[in-house]
Every structure is written in structure tokens, then in C-alpha cells.
């Protein structure tokens, strides 16, 4: 029996067993980091997830088993695919990768009361035991014991994924599958934008990668009065302009762009910096372009410590700096839903490709060449 | 010499005296509350303002004398014109009315360093000595000793008005005169919207009067995800829809609109209530439509105390309620400038008429009939 | 078999069954609202709680069964005891009352991972399904579907109480039982104080009942610079002074106390109002004593709507008003724990009596006479 | 005529001239950075300040001339005295130094309305034209054009100092001269503590210098639940403990202290970091000790850029970082006044010495040896 048959079976006889669960295929398709070298390997007969019961395909008391229909490919997945220094140090060989998806709940544990079989869902991939200070005060996304789907435990590049009910987000019927599949990175953009607060503010976004571009359309929808974007890729800058940037700059062409920001803002600098690149030069020039008393939200991750002028960039300036990680459960998700439903987000230009699951290699090539931005894998295609 | 000549003279020979001041006409035109009865009276030869020096037309050390070019007519002016209970109790007979305007500085005192002769300016009409707690902590707009231009002291419905330099706002060259003339009420709308915070939030605006309508376009520009508006005038509701409202309701047609809000918001109610009417029924139903944990910003002023359910509307709901008065100096003004320059505000539909100064009676008639919304008087016409 | 034997049994053989649960007595003691008239009735052989399983004494998959050791008597319990209008309309006859307690977990469901058998615990009595907007955004305490322990479902005036694991709070070893038993009302005080923010602020507390008095010691510990208290009971005012108030006033003696506040605050009024009485006169005079731009947190519940001057008290003043209900899960609880452990809270003067469970009638009499303030029932005595 | 006679004269005949000004001495004493080398030089016959009029001793229209009675010696003054790299690059030779003082207004310009002759005052030493974005939005302390008293313009180590009225703070009668003289650095501590928010929070203060020690007593008074302090000087640590620290650590003795903080905080780290040292090692270990989601307020100024782990310390942690500079006008000053008047601040142990003006050299020696902490110069002694 092939994996796609398995999926078909689950679809053909859904939700009919006594405990409300669909009949499951015995094995599934999955993208696995099978070897300690670059690449991902497609497996056609991977066993289903086990969850807390340890029994294949059976959710623990508070878990849900989800059939994945679409999955987004993240920059993090590319790190794992290319097997860079960070990936080698963090990713256990043998893991199923992937953490962005949409799917349908096919089975739940007996203590599950917050979601139900048949619901179309996506999920928050930051998983915690729920007992530490952060988890218990509305900040589970930065819990000490937080483990990430597809990074620290088996992920969603597979026909099935198992998750605690408290990580599952029922998708509003007005949100298309393709967008539901990328609510994880979109949530990063929304969390960054909403943390900083952009309403009637001038905003500089340094770095027009996937999340940087999402931040452009989110910032515009969230009420930014003026949006500046820097990147070193002309195509990205053009796209940024198309979806909402008022000014775009390639900083390799000199520092004049900082003067342009000064001249176009009443406070001699932008009100808000959203740092999305992790590049040292972008961080430094971003802070230079920030006005006194401004707010910087940092999402991009510098590869290592670097020579930083804390006095000039933060202290003398009276700046507020926000470290941003993940997304807030579930405040960010509601904000995201509101923004999507408002029709203001221009995501179609950012989600450039949808490919059948088995063509995952092409997805990574599109990202590497820059011809694609966000690529979504379709497990039903 | 007529007053319009006076104005011409000031224009013809501007800024040429040794101290940088323009030559002034000996008298000026003014709209005065001359009698203890309904109406306003046009005076053609009123003496110029005296300021703290007590000398006609001469600014005190920290004052500026401004030649008015356009002035907005406010609902407050209409109260004074119609001489209602509030007006009789507050307005001194003999006062020059008006508090919304744009003009040009023609003369400044010797201690003035923050503005200069020749600048195009408008002003914050809430005037304080600057020595109380609120004034000294960034909240001069609610100072204990606050006195209002055109209400407690001579206003701007005149060729000249005198103000402390700390109340003067230089107008950005990108802001047209007609809009600069109404930055006072627009500032009310911006202060209300920005206090509540509407970015990615569902917003209910109760009352589509001048400031309520301004709040619609401001809320949209500031990033509201969904805007609901109530009023009992169909024309106002239509206009609200034109400039940004997603849903408009006439509450006289029943309470079904509250259910509509519930069904169109994830939190079973709107995130934000902006109360712009002062009407008891609107306040009560507005709070009913607010979600648990929501924020209400109250600008509309109920005529008198009324039976209010503090427990149900505020306490059990865990609501945050913000009293809004005036505008913040100068945070609100910068936000307003940013919003105007962003090109997102649709104010042309709200500023329905511009009339020559002498036709002020028509302005009030347009407001009374509902055929006009915001009317601006042109002192140069 | 008597109830105290039941408790002894559970103590004698704790935590020894295979699933980690203690052997339970077949019945228990409980205080029940047995009849539709004033009073509470002691039952010696009430069946144990059933929880979501419907089976006596057996927790559902995500529930915990707790043996109660001490329980606090709340003003709400007194309403139920006295059977006033509110109680008649809300409380189902037959319910076990009580919502403040400390105890020990004796049994948990198989999906329980966040707490464990043997833990000393108290609980948040606001119970929700966890699926609405408030619950999912860190505000479960004001969830739409929120039901209250001992009010809407069987409470803790009994040897055993059943609760969802997500409502259980493990008590820090440094917190004495007597204080752990009253963390619910103490949490009201902490939530009110922390919502308003009292650090280096002058604070007026209107109403020195149980929670008002707790607010005095909490506000002092939380850094209030000056504390004013009003009440009409001299003994309460004296106690307020003993535990931290700088000025106490009996408002029946005239309005001079508002002038005293004006003269002793730089902003001509207190920075913060904590309204703890629900009395109309206290609310009105409290707002009068609040400075412009001040913050009022309202916890006391007025019995019905009343004539309120929204314009004067909130709008013109630019006040911020916070409706306060319950306690935040778990931010308030951590703050509370920090405050208790800091040794700064003077609660011993507020918890005036500890009585054996069966003497519950005396507890209500102490509250009615004013001779007692907070009374705790000892189920082990 | 000696300078002390001059002072006596001003005192003997105060406020008797027609314009309300005291008769002034023709010259004054002053501490001057006369030469481009270490040291400060006492001048006995320096001309009086000129202000904006350019006329000796005559205030401009909005200026006040103040007779200094006591002045605090700051770490910044020591940098200037020792003539380090920073001082050489910033301080113009010939300048009168000093920026902390208390005194009495002896003369004001004709446009001065906010302060008056005879008032006991101190001042905010951050001076701006008042026209930039920060100045106009309540953040004058970080204005782009901000110039510092005794650093960029003549300071207060002299019998007279000239300041704009908008920088003058009338001192409450309940504040002793010795404390009024150090409200500038105390304001740094208060601004840092209040920006971070310490109410019911665990607080780590890295660096027990003058402002660090002030922060200890301020944090305690402002409601910190637990205070940790690090420094490498045993005497400072002992003093920190005396005035409010719960735990003190010498980090040179190993990293165990970070574990101690983890074990004594519910969030596995302190809620708040107040960085007062500017030392690289303190900054790094301070961030390590901060809990996830915690807040760091940075006042200490690192001498130069350094290798900083932005990802680990800020981004992954979801930290909020606040650059703190100066003090807010006048929010911080009111908070400070409230805290001083509350009687909770233990400043007497920090202000270790009061010396006659001429013994300024001893003041610097006391600071250099560590035998003194804050030294105040008495110009009347």
C-alpha cells in the first residue's frame, strides 16, 4: 500500500470508529534527516508517530493525531537540508523534519476537550510541559523547556504528526490552506510587528527574506505610516515595494539611505526598527537609523557574538529593544487571523510556489537560487 | 480701512520691521459672543489681542501673534452659537470665539525661541501656566488650570490671535491649509484612536459626528482590522462606510447589530470601543458590544450623570476604560502629521464646505441641517 | 464512620495504590446549601466529588482530586449563608459551598502531567473550558464560560474537592497553610494593586473590608509611597493604619479628607484609586480624590446601576479605569508568592480566627459582628 | 571682596531690588577645568554667568540665575578631574564643572513665569532648545541637541549658575539640602528603577557604585520583592546589604551566584536586571542571570563596543532591554520627591561626606580611595 493510498483511506472513512477516530494507514510518507550529511531523505513507509503512549498512531490522553495536507518549507529546514554548523549541533539524525503545516485531526486522546476530530488545524510548534514560569504566565513560546517540532522532535513533513492539544490551533474557515500552512512564520512576523507597535509609526525593516517580506505586508496592514526596507537582493526590494514599502534601499550602495530616513521622519530617524536579517551590518546600521527613544524588535539571529556598541545604539539613545522569539500563544494567532481575514495582507506574492510533497528537492533549489521565496508542499497532490 | 485690507497689508509687507514683525492693521474682524442670547456677531473693527503685555497687538516675552487664514467651525462653537445650557454657564459674553485655525506668525516676544515670524502654524488651544503636575509630566492637555481658546479666552475667529509659544505647532509643508485648520478636532480623533490602540483590532465607533467620522478614517489608517459604526443618521452611516467602516448600524432598528459584532469577532465582542456620541444609549450598548478584557476610550460627553452599570460594563468584564480629553502635546500632533502625510486619511469627504469668513451664519445652518459636516471659514476669501 | 475518620484514613495510607492514589473514604463532610433559606447545613456523609468521569471519587483524565485541609470563609460565602437577593438568583440549592482552600492532591487522572499526587496545593476557582478568546490569550479569569467553585459547582467546604489540573496551584513550601488557604482573596487584592501599579505612587483605598485590608498591606509591600484609606468602621481604620496606611478617614465626618489628599499629593489628588467597597458614595468620592490622569482600579461591586458622572469622573479627568475581576492565571499567583515570601505582608492581623470545620456557624457570626475579619476553617482540627 | 562675602551679601539683602532680584557680587568662586591636564582649578574671581543676554549676571527672558548652596560631586566630575580619554574628547578647557546642586533663585528674566526669585531649587542639567521631536514629546532628556551642564556648558561648581526656567525644579520643603543637591544622580537611579518596573519583582543590580547603591534603596522603596547585588568591593556589598539587598555577590569568586539567583526566583532567573557598572563581565553575567521574558535596564556605560551575544542574551530569551539616560522631565522628579518624602530611602549611608567648597580635592581623593561614596560640597561652609 502506498502512502497516498493511506491518506486516501483516512479520507474515505473518516471519523467512523467508536472513539471518533478515522482508520489509519499502517505507515506513512516522511522527509527524514536520515544521514549525517547534506540532504533530506524521502521514506515511503515510516511508522506513524507514537506520542506519549508509545503506541504507534495512538495519541496520549491530551494529544491529537493530525493528518497533514500542506506543509511550508522554512529557512530552518534549509539549514537542516544543507547541514550547516548549527544544524549539525542541534538536529538528531533520524528525525522527521518540518514544523509549518495545515491538516485535519484524525484522532484524539480521551482527555482532549479543546479540539476535536475532523477539525482543520495548524499548530504552534513550540512545545512545553506547561509547568515553568513562562508557560504559566502567558509566555509558553519562550519556556525554558521549550522543544521545537521538526527540530527537537519528529515534525510535520509526513502524512501524520502528533501534538499536545494545547499546541493545536483550529483554522478559521476564511483562511485558505496555503496560508494556514505558513501561519508559523507569518506568526513570527506578526509577533515582531505587534510587539514593537507600528500604528502611525515609521518603520524600518532590515532584511527582506521570507519573514522580512511578511513583516512588510503585516506592518502596512497594522497601520505603519511609512515603511523603509533594506536588503541586498534587488528582486526582494522590488517585491517589498510592491507589497507596501515606501522606500527600499540596498545598503551596499552607501550610507545615504540613513539620511533619507532622517529627512523623511519627524524624529530624525525611524520610530521602529524590525531587524529580520541577523546580519551584523544590518543590525548596526538599523540602530543608527533609529530615532532617539525608538523601539527595535530583533528577530533575525546573528550567527555569533559580535562587536556591538551598546552605549551608542541603546543607552545614549534611550532605545527600547525587544528580543522576539516564536509567537505568543494565542494572542499572536488571533491577531494573525484578524489580519488575514481583513483582506489586507498580500501574501500571494510571498508564497511563490506550491509543489507536490515528493518534489521537496525542488523546493530547496528554488530557495537556494532565490527564484522562490516561500514554498509550500502539497501532500494531497 | 477695512479688515480685509488689514490682512492684505500684513501680507504685502511681511516681516520687514527691525524686530522681524510685519506691520499690523489697527483693528481686525472678529466673531464675537456679544450678547446673552443665541447667535454670534460679526465685528469689523475689534481691537487686536493684547496678550500678557496688556498692549494691543504686542506679544508678551513668550507669546506669538498669529494672523489667521482659515478657521474650522466646531460643535462647541455651535453650542455657543445656539447658546444652550452649557454655553450660558461657561462662556463669558464679549468673548471672541473659535479655536481651530491655521495662520502665520506675524510677531513674537523677545523670549520666543521655539517658533518664528513667518512660520505657517496652528495651535493647541488648551493653555496652562505649565506649573502643575499634569503640565510638568507630559499631560498639559489635562492640566488643572487649563483654559480653552475661544471658550475661556479670546479665540481665533478673528484676523489675529495671540498664543504662548508653547501652544504653537508649525505646520508641515505637506499639510494643506484646509486640513491644518482642523487639526484640533482631528487631534481628538487621533488621540482617542491611539490611546485605545487599534492595530489589528476590531473597533466599534459609536457616533458618526465630525470627530466620530474622523475616527473612522484614522482607525482605518492606524491599522484597525475591522470597523463597526453606529449612528442614527443614514447619511452619516453611508459616509462612514465610504471612508472605511466595514459594518454600519442604526441602533434604532433593534439590538441585532450587537449579535452581528459578536459573530464577526473572535472574542465575542469588539476589541475596542471608541465612544464619540455622549449619548446614554450609545454608551450602554457600546459597552455591551465590547468583549471581555476589551478597551473603551470615551470622548463623547454625556450631558449629565446617568444610571450606569459599572459592575456589568466594566468590573465583571475586566474592561479598561480611558477618559479622553483634548490631545497630547505633542505626541498626538506628530502622529496626526504622520497620518496626514501618509495619504491614508480620507478627510475631503468630512470637510464638506469652505466658506468666506463673513458667511459664518451659513456654516452653522449647514451643521444644523446636517447638510454639512465640517465647515471651514476662509479669512482670505 | 465519621468524617474525621475518613480524613484520617486518607492520611494513614497515603499514595500507596498502584496508580499513585491514596485510598479514599467512601463519604465525606461538607457544608451544603441544602435549603432555599438562610443558613448552611453540615452533612457528615456526602458522597465524594465525581468530576468529568461521573464516577464517585474518580478524577477525569485531566482532573485532580484534592483532600482539603484548611478553607477560608469569603464574603461571598456570607451572602450565600444569609441568602440575599444575589445568592437566591445565582446559587443552586444543594451545592457544596466554599472556594478558598489549601489541601493535598490524593488522586489524578491519567492525562495529568502538570501536578502530582502528594503535592500541597490550592486552586484558582474560576474554571473554563479553555477554548474561548480570553482563556486562550492569558485571561482565563474573565472567560465567557467561566464558572466559579462553590458558586456554580461544588466547592471546597468539604473533605475533598475535584478540579481540572489547569486550575491547581502547587503551594511553595515557604507559604504557611493558613495563608495558602486565602490566596484566592489575597489574589484579588494583588491583582487589583498590580493592575493599577502603585510603585512610588500615592494610593487611595476605599473600603477596608477583607480585600481592602489585604490591599493595604499589598500596596505597601508593592512600593506605594503613600496610602490613604477610607471606611466607616473605626476598628478597620485602626487596623489599616497598623498595617501600612499613612492616613485613614471616616468619610461620614465630612469631605475634608479629600482636601487632605490634595494637600499631601503633588498632583492635587491621589495617583491611584483602589475601589474595594462597591459603595456608591465611596466610588463617587474616590473619583473626586483622584488626580487628573490618575488610574482607578475597581474591584468592589455596586449592588445595582447608579447615577454616575462619567464626564466629570473619567472623561474630563483623562482617567484610566480598570475593571478587576478574579486574578490572573498565573501571573497574579507568582506575584503573590513573591510578596508572601518577601516577608513584607502583614496578614496575621487580617486572618483573625482559625476554627474547626464544624464551628462554621461561629465563623459567620464573627464576620457579621465585625469581631472577625478573615476566618479560616481547619478541617484537620 | 572674597567670594564668601559675595555669598553673604546676597543673603543679607535678598530680593529687595525693584525687579525682585537680589544684589549680586561682581565675581564668584568656581571650580574650573583650566588646563589640558589632570586636576581642577579653584578660581576666586570668576565672572558671573552670562546666559542668553551675553551680559554678566543678567538672565535672558526665560532664564533664571541661581545662587548655589550645595553641590554634589559625580563620577563624571572625577573623569574630568582625572582627565581620561572620554573627558579629553568631550570637555572644553576653561569650563566650569559640576551639574548636581541645590540653591536659590536670585534673579529671573522678564518672560519667566514658572519659577520665581527666592525659591529653593535644583535643576535638570540636560538642556535643549525644546524644538526637536524628543523635547516635544515628553523626552527632552534624550533630545538630539541636548547639552549637559558642567560638561558642554558652564556648570554649578560656582557661586552662581544660569539655567532656562524649563530646567529648574523647585525643591519641596520636606527635602533636605544635602539630598536636594544629589537629585540628579538619584534621578538616574529612580529613572532606571521605574523604567524597568520593580514592584513585586526580583531585581539584580550589577554594580554598587553611587548610582547602583542609590538604586538598591530606591528599588526596595519602590516595592522590589527581592534584591540581588553584585560588585567587586566588599565594603560596597556590605553597604548594599545594609540598605536593602537580600543577597550580595562578588562575581570574582565564581559563577555560583547565578545558580543562587535561579534557585531563589520562580522564573529561573531574576525578573529585572539593572545594569549600573558598564563593565563587560557584569553585563554578560547580568544577562545570564535574567529570566526568560525579563527586563534589563542599562544605565552603566561600557567604555567601548564589545563582543556581545545578542542572540543568547536578548533574542532567544525574549528579553526587553531599556537604554536609560538621564531622567524624565519631570515624571522622574515627582517620583523621586514622593520616594524621598515617604521616608523609605536610606541615603545617609550613601552621602558619606560633606566638605567645604574649597576642599574639593579631598572629595576626589575620597572617591578614588573608596573611603567616600557620594561627597557633597557646601558652598556656605
Amino acid at each position: 500500500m502506498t502512502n497516498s493510498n493511506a491518506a486516501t483511506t483516512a479520507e474515505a472513512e473518516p471519523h467512523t470508529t467508536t472513539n471518533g477516530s478515522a482508520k489509519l494507514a499502517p505507515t506513512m510518507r516522511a522527509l527524514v534527516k536520515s544521514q549525517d550529511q547534506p540532504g533530506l531523505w524521502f521514506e515511503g513507509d515510516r511508522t506513524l508517530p507514537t506520542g506519549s503512549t508509545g503506541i504507534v498512531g495512538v495519541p496520549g490522553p491530551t494529544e491529537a493525531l493530525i493528518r497533514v495536507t500542506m506543509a511550508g518549507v522554512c529557512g530552518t529546514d534549509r539549514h537542516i537540508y544543507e547541514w550547516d554548523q548549527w544544524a549539525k549541533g542541534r538536529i538528531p539524525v533520524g528525525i522527521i523534519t518540518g514544523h509549518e503545516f495545515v491538516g485535519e485531526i484524525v484522532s484524539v486522546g480521551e482527555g482532549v476537550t479543546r479540539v476535536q476530530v475532523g477539525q482543520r488545524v495548524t499548530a504552534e510548534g513550540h512545545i512545553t510541559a506547561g509547568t515553568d514560569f513562562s508557560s504559566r504566565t502567558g509566555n509558553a513560546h519562550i519556556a525554558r523547556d521549550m522543544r521545537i517540532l521538526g527540530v527537537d522532535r519528529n515534525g510535520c513533513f509526513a502524512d501524520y504528526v502528533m501534538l499536545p492539544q494545547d499546541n493545536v490551533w483550529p483554522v478559521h474557515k476564511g483562511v485558505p490552506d496555503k496560508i494556514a500552512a505558513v501561519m508559523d512564520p507569518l506568526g513570527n512576523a506578526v509577533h515582531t510587528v505587534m510587539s514593537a507597535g507600528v500604528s502611525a509609526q515609521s518603520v524600518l525593516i532590515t532584511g527582506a527574506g521570507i519573514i522580512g517580506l511578511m513583516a512588510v505586508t503585516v506592518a502596512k496592514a497594522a497601520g505603519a505610516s511609512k515603511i523603509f526596507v533594506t536588503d541586498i537582493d534587488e528582486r526582494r526590494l522590488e517585491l517589498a515595494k510592491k507589497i507596501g514599502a515606501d522606500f527600499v534601499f540596498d545598503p551596499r550602495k552607501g550610507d545615504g539611505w540613513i539620511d533619507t530616513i532622517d529627512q523623511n521622519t519627524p524624529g530624525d530617524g525611524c520610530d521602529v526598527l524590525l531587524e529580520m536579517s541577523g546580519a551584523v551590518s544590518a543590525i548596526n546600521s538599523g540602530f543608527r537609523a533609529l530615532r532617539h527613544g525608538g523601539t527595535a524588535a530583533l528577530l533575525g539571529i546573528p550567527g555569533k557574538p559580535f562587536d556591538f556598541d551598546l552605549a551608542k545604539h541603546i543607552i545614549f539613545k534611550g532605545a527600547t529593544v525587544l528580543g522576539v522569539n516564536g509567537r505568543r500563544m494565542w494572542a499572536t494567532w488571533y491577531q494573525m487571523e484578524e489580519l488575514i481575514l481583513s483582506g489586507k495582507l498580500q501574501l500571494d506574492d510571498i508564497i511563490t510556489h506550491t509543489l507536490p510533497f515528493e518534489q521537496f528537492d525542488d523546493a530547496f533549489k528554488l530557495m537556494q537560487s532565490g527564484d522562490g521565496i516561500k514554498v509550500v508542499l502539497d501532500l494531497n497532490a
Side-chain angles (χ1 to χ4, degrees), chain A:
Chain A
M1 180 183 274
T2 68
N3 285 288
S4 52
N5 280 356
T8 307
T9 304
E11 278 188 326
E13 304 177 356
H15 330 322
T16 56
T17 58
T18 44
N19 68 346
S21 301
K23 198 171 160 187
L24 302 171
T27 62
M28 65 178 187
R29 298 171 296 172
L31 279 191
V32 182
K33 187 74 209 182
S34 307
Q35 304 178 30
D36 181 7
Q37 61 183 68
L40 283 181
W41 287 263
F42 185 86
E43 299 188 6
D45 56 354
R46 178 87 172 199
T47 53
L48 267 60
T50 51
S52 72
T53 60
I55 307 169
V56 170
V58 177
T62 58
E63 290 177 329
L65 183 67
I66 300 161
R67 192 175 66 75
V68 177
T69 51
M70 289 187 121
V73 183
C74 178
T76 299
D77 300 316
R78 184 176 156 192
H79 287 296
I80 298 172
Y81 181 85
E82 297 178 347
W83 209 228
D84 66 8
Q85 211 55 39
W86 170 82
K88 280 182 200 166
R90 174 77 176 265
I91 307 298
V93 170
I95 202 173
I96 299 173
T97 54
H99 55 275
E100 308 173 2
F101 74 97
V102 64
E104 183 180 321
I105 298 181
V106 290
S107 168
V108 299
E110 66 174 6
V112 168
T113 55
R114 295 176 179 170
V115 294
Q116 48 192 305
V117 169
Q119 276 184 320
R120 188 168 65 117
V121 299
T122 179
E124 169 58 55
H126 285 198
I127 297 156
T128 92
T131 56
D132 79 326
F133 178 85
S134 294
S135 298
R136 285 164 72 90
T137 53
N139 292 304
H141 65 295
I142 49 171
R144 283 259 169 181
D145 66 336
M146 186 259 292
R147 301 180 70 236
I148 300 179
L149 192 71
V151 169
D152 302 309
R153 52 184 273 169
N154 282 327
C156 67
F157 285 163
D159 285 306
Y160 296 97
V161 65
M162 188 82 82
L163 281 159
Q165 71 167 338
D166 284 351
N167 280 71
V168 176
W169 175 259
V171 177
H172 190 284
K173 66 180 190 301
V175 178
D177 267 3
K178 202 174 71 173
I179 291 175
V182 300
M183 285 183 80
D184 175 293
L186 182 59
N188 288 131
V190 171
H191 182 22
T192 311
V193 166
M194 298 302 294
S195 297
V198 301
S199 187
Q201 300 272 288
S202 57
V203 178
L204 166 62
I205 296 169
T206 46
I210 297 170
I211 299 178
L213 286 166
M214 286 174 164
V216 173
T217 187
V218 169
K220 191 169 178 65
S225 57
K226 205 170 280 171
I227 299 175
F228 308 95
V229 176
T230 63
D231 201 287
I232 56 175
D233 179 327
E234 274 307 317
R235 288 180 296 179
R236 302 286 174 116
L237 291 178
E238 272 166 42
L239 179 49
K241 201 146 192 182
K242 183 179 173 195
I243 63 176
D246 296 285
F247 296 79
V248 299
F249 308 108
D250 181 342
R252 293 174 309 182
K253 297 181 180 168
D255 275 0
W257 64 276
I258 297 181
D259 295 331
T260 303
I261 291 180
D262 274 13
Q263 288 150 16
N264 283 280
T265 49
D268 301 330
C270 57
D271 296 314
V272 171
L273 164 66
L274 307 179
E275 210 303 298
M276 300 304 209
S277 73
V280 170
S281 61
I283 295 170
N284 282 326
S285 55
F287 272 103
R288 283 175 53 204
L290 184 67
R291 73 159 165 80
H292 283 210
T295 297
L298 310 181
L299 184 85
I301 298 166
K304 53 180 184 178
F306 65 96
D307 220 38
F308 185 67
D309 196 337
L310 215 54
K312 179 176 155 196
H313 289 329
I314 300 182
I315 301 174
F316 290 134
K317 214 160 214 172
T320 297
V321 181
L322 308 169
V324 180
N325 191 356
R327 300 140 299 274
R328 301 199 70 206
M329 281 174 264
W330 295 97
T332 305
W333 294 76
Y334 279 111
Q335 291 161 344
M336 193 167 12
E337 187 178 287
E338 280 291 286
L339 288 166
I340 295 168
L341 296 177
S342 76
K344 291 181 184 176
L345 297 187
Q346 290 178 257
L347 296 170
D348 286 343
D349 292 304
I350 298 171
I351 308 172
T352 52
H353 298 79
T354 304
L355 302 177
F357 188 28
E358 284 80 354
Q359 295 179 22
F360 65 92
D361 257 324
D362 294 338
F364 291 105
K365 280 174 194 146
L366 283 164
M367 292 170 77
Q368 288 167 330
S369 69
D371 291 334
I373 298 174
K374 173 56 79 178
V375 183
V376 170
L377 301 175
D378 184 345
L379 280 84
N380 279 340

